[in-house]
């Protein structure tokens, strides 16, 4: 990066680095479940043989993995939650979480851009624009702006 006359590339690189730092900080500072609770929850899910994990539980597990730097596992949890979601807003939310994990894990725009497009499509098909929709839309806009 250059000082002063920044070109488009350095601006994009700085924006992406700032987005990654914000996402990492968000999860690092977030209160998450303990390691014991994580293991208990994982065991309960396995023992239950449920076809669907409650979305709140998926979000707790996702946040714990992100907090601990286990981005691949977090991405898998988010992708499974997309499948468990019943509404376009829920699918968009977990798709965006998957994109966050992907950004921190591998920084691969070819993998992240389709996730952002999928989330945008889900939000476009949402019937209501409630608080959850607005939160997902803001998250999408933040990620799109950070990934110029």
């Amino acid at each position: 990066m250059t000082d002063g006359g920044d070109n488009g590339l350095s601006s994009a690189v700085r924006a992406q680095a700032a987005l990654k730092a914000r996402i990492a900080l968000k999860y690092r500072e977030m209160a998450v479940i303990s390691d014991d609770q994580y293991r208990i929850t994982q065991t309960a899910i396995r023992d239950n043989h449920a076809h669907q994990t409650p979305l709140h539980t998926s979000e707790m597990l996702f946040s714990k993995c992100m907090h601990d730097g286990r981005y691949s596992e977090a991405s898998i949890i988010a992708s499974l939650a997309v499948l468990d979601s019943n509404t376009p807003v829920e699918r968009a939310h977990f798709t965006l979480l998957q994109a966050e994990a992907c950004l921190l894990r591998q920084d691969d725009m070819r993998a992240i851009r389709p996730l952002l497009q999928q989330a945008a499509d889900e939000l476009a098909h949402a019937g209501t624009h409630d608080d959850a929709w607005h939160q997902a839309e803001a998250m999408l806009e933040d990620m799109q702006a950070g990934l110029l």
Side-chain angles (χ1 to χ4, degrees), residues 35-98:
D35 290 339
D36 289 339
Q37 175 139 21
Y38 177 83
R39 283 189 294 277
I40 290 166
T41 304
Q42 285 288 70
T43 301
I45 290 169
R46 270 193 309 274
D47 291 348
N48 188 21
H49 302 290
H51 294 287
Q52 195 172 27
T53 301
L55 294 178
H56 175 72
T57 301
S58 294
E59 188 131 18
M60 286 187 335
L61 296 174
F62 175 85
S63 296
K64 174 67 173 162
C65 290
M66 292 291 282
H67 179 270
D68 293 350
R70 296 189 321 259
Y71 305 125
S72 293
E73 186 176 353
S75 183
I76 291 166
I77 291 168
S79 66
L80 291 173
V82 169
L83 298 174
D84 290 342
S85 298
N86 294 318
T87 69
V89 174
E90 290 171 346
R91 285 188 293 276
H93 173 73
F94 283 102
T95 300
L96 291 167
L97 293 182
Q98 186 180 3

